[in-house]
Amino acid sequence: DAKTTQPPSMDCAEGRAANLPCNHSTISGNEYVYWYRQIHSQGPQYIIHGLKNNETNEMASLIITEDRKSSTLILPHATLRDTAVYYCIVRPSNNAGNMLTFGGGTRLMVKP
Amino acid sequence: DSGVTQTPKHLITATGQRVTLRCSPRSGDLSVYWYQQSLDQGLQFLIQYYNGEERAKGNILERFSAQQFPDLHSELNLSSLELGDSALYFCASSGLDWGEAFFGQGTRLTVV
């Protein structure tokens, strides 16, 4: 898996957009960017993934730069329940390749 | 609710003992993964099974073993337990996209 770099922690005001960055400068052409989050001691939760186009679902938006060397996960209106550790992972999107490898992630604190 | 069920939720046992953790994957998912999360470490991949066969191994100790049964449920066996084995153990399952995994709520193991 390509290595990812994320800031260890971020704060966000409730109701504002939370923008979580991730650098993946060594990403390969067949590797997707996946985002997961883990709310305190719960099982990690899949959020979204993408290859090169921007993606949006009911939870978040994923913006990938044109050179694919970095991406940003956007939570449009953060709530207190979005406080969690967010993990950015790159891997092929198929039933092959390496397992999901979780790094340190970004600890997002949403404050009232 | 991810659809992945882990039992038991909590387990307290003594050093030297053996325990079995159980995981029922989401309906139709053929892949099952086991992860360990200690207080001072991140999520560590242990092992993957795909349709009953071991597919990948991570940082799994020789004292640990796992299997996936014909009905696709999986068990993780931990033996000769040590204090350092105290951790959260997560099971996850996935369908065709191994990157999109669904995690259970974990089993919290405490070795005393």
Side-chain angles (χ1 to χ4, degrees):
Chain A
D1 285 351
K3 186 175 173 63
T4 62
T5 303
Q6 300 177 251
S9 64
M10 292 181 63
D11 289 344
C12 177
E14 188 178 19
R16 304 298 293 268
N19 298 288
L20 294 101
C22 179
N23 286 320
H24 31 80
S25 58
T26 60
I27 192 170
S28 300
N30 69 336
E31 289 182 318
Y32 285 63
V33 181
Y34 288 81
W35 283 84
Y36 281 75
R37 73 180 182 182
Q38 185 176 25
I39 296 170
H40 181 63
S41 294
Q42 295 182 22
Q45 178 188 24
Y46 166 82
I47 300 173
I48 198 168
H49 76 281
L51 181 63
K52 53 184 179 181
N53 296 323
N54 298 339
E55 302 287 345
T56 295
N57 63 19
E58 66 280 2
M59 289 184 67
S61 294
L62 174 60
I63 308 296
I64 302 174
T65 58
E66 194 169 340
D67 64 7
R68 303 210 320 124
K69 292 184 177 181
S70 66
S71 60
T72 300
L73 179 75
I74 301 172
L75 308 178
H77 305 286
T79 70
L80 298 179
R81 288 178 296 180
D82 292 321
T83 292
V85 179
Y86 288 77
Y87 298 97
C88 169
I89 302 167
V90 295
R91 70 172 307 282
S93 175
N94 54 34
N95 60 346
N98 295 331
M99 301 307 108
L100 287 168
T101 301
F102 291 84
T106 296
R107 186 172 298 275
L108 175 69
M109 179 74 71
V110 180
K111 298 183 174 180
Chain B
D1 182 7
S2 67
V4 177
T5 303
Q6 289 188 248
T7 57
K9 287 187 171 54
H10 301 276
L11 195 51
I12 301 175
T13 189
T15 55
Q17 295 297 305
R18 172 189 170 95
V19 297
T20 297
L21 312 183
R22 182 187 168 99
C23 170
S24 294
R26 287 190 322 157
S27 177
D29 283 355
L30 298 181
S31 278
V32 170
Y33 314 82
W34 287 96
Y35 283 80
Q36 179 192 55
Q37 187 171 36
S38 305
L39 270 178
D40 57 350
Q41 293 193 11
L43 282 153
Q44 300 290 320
F45 168 70
L46 295 178
I47 198 163
Q48 179 204 5
Y49 278 82
Y50 178 79
N51 202 19
E53 293 188 4
E54 181 185 304
R55 196 61 181 254
K57 253 184 176 178
N59 301 320
I60 188 166
L61 300 172
E62 285 190 12
R63 300 183 285 109
F64 297 179
S65 65
Q67 54 184 328
Q68 186 179 27
F69 295 86
D71 66 353
L72 301 178
H73 91 270
S74 178
E75 294 181 354
L76 179 67
N77 301 297
L78 314 176
S79 62
S80 302
L81 285 168
E82 302 174 358
L83 296 177
D85 298 326
S86 296
L88 272 167
Y89 291 84
F90 290 105
C91 168
S93 73
S94 67
L96 290 177
D97 182 356
W98 290 4
E100 192 172 340
F102 295 85
F103 284 75
Q105 288 305 298
T107 293
R108 182 176 294 279
L109 173 67
T110 303
V111 182
V112 297

